């Protein structure tokens, strides 16, 4: 399975689980942040891939950019939770983001080959 397909599958699974646990109101936050996590992971791999054969300094810099992108996702999550907690329930949003970004992060080495 390729990375976008896995990200979408994880998003669907996490969103469905969130809806079962918290009800229909969890669909939007879990789905939106699952898609955000998928997009961030795709961007991080796109940044890192060209540096795989580069010197370690370049590889480390690009790896750090990818981790910064993932951290930006956490910041976006926190800002949305603070500004619109009724529209984007915090727990389903966090589960949506982390439930997708963490498995994709662990699978990253497969997608870099």
């Amino acid at each position: 399975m390729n990375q976008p397909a896995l990200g979408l599958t994880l998003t669907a699974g996490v969103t469905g689980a969130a809806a079962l646990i918290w009800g229909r109101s969890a669909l939007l936050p879990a789905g939106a942040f699952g898609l955000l996590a998928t997009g961030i992971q795709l961007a991080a791999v796109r940044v890192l891939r060209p540096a795989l054969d580069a010197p370690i300094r370049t590889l480390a810099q690009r790896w750090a950019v990818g981790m910064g992108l993932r951290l930006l996702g956490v910041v976006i999550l926190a800002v949305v939770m603070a500004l619109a907690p009724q529209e984007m329930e915090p727990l389903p949003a966090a589960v949506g983001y982390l439930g997708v970004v963490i498995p994709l992060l662990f699978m990253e080495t497969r997608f870099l080959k």
Side-chain angles (χ1 to χ4, degrees), residues 26-80:
L27 288 172
L28 178 62
F33 279 94
L35 291 175
L36 176 67
T38 300
I40 285 173
Q41 183 63 27
L42 291 172
V45 168
R46 179 172 273 177
V47 166
L48 182 59
R49 183 173 280 133
L52 289 177
D53 295 327
I56 192 70
R57 179 179 174 102
T58 303
L59 179 66
Q61 287 171 341
R62 288 180 173 252
W63 175 83
V65 169
M67 294 311 282
L69 289 171
R70 292 177 191 96
L71 181 60
L72 176 63
V74 173
V75 170
I76 291 169
L77 179 65
V79 168
V80 169

Side-chain angles (χ1 to χ4, degrees), residues 1 4-5 16 28 30-31 35-36 39 44-45 47 66 78 82 85 94 101 104-105 107 109 111-112:
M1 182 177 285
L28 178 62
L35 291 175
L36 176 67
V45 168
V47 166
V101 81
L104 287 178
L105 181 59
M107 297 293 292
T109 55
F111 301 122
L112 289 171

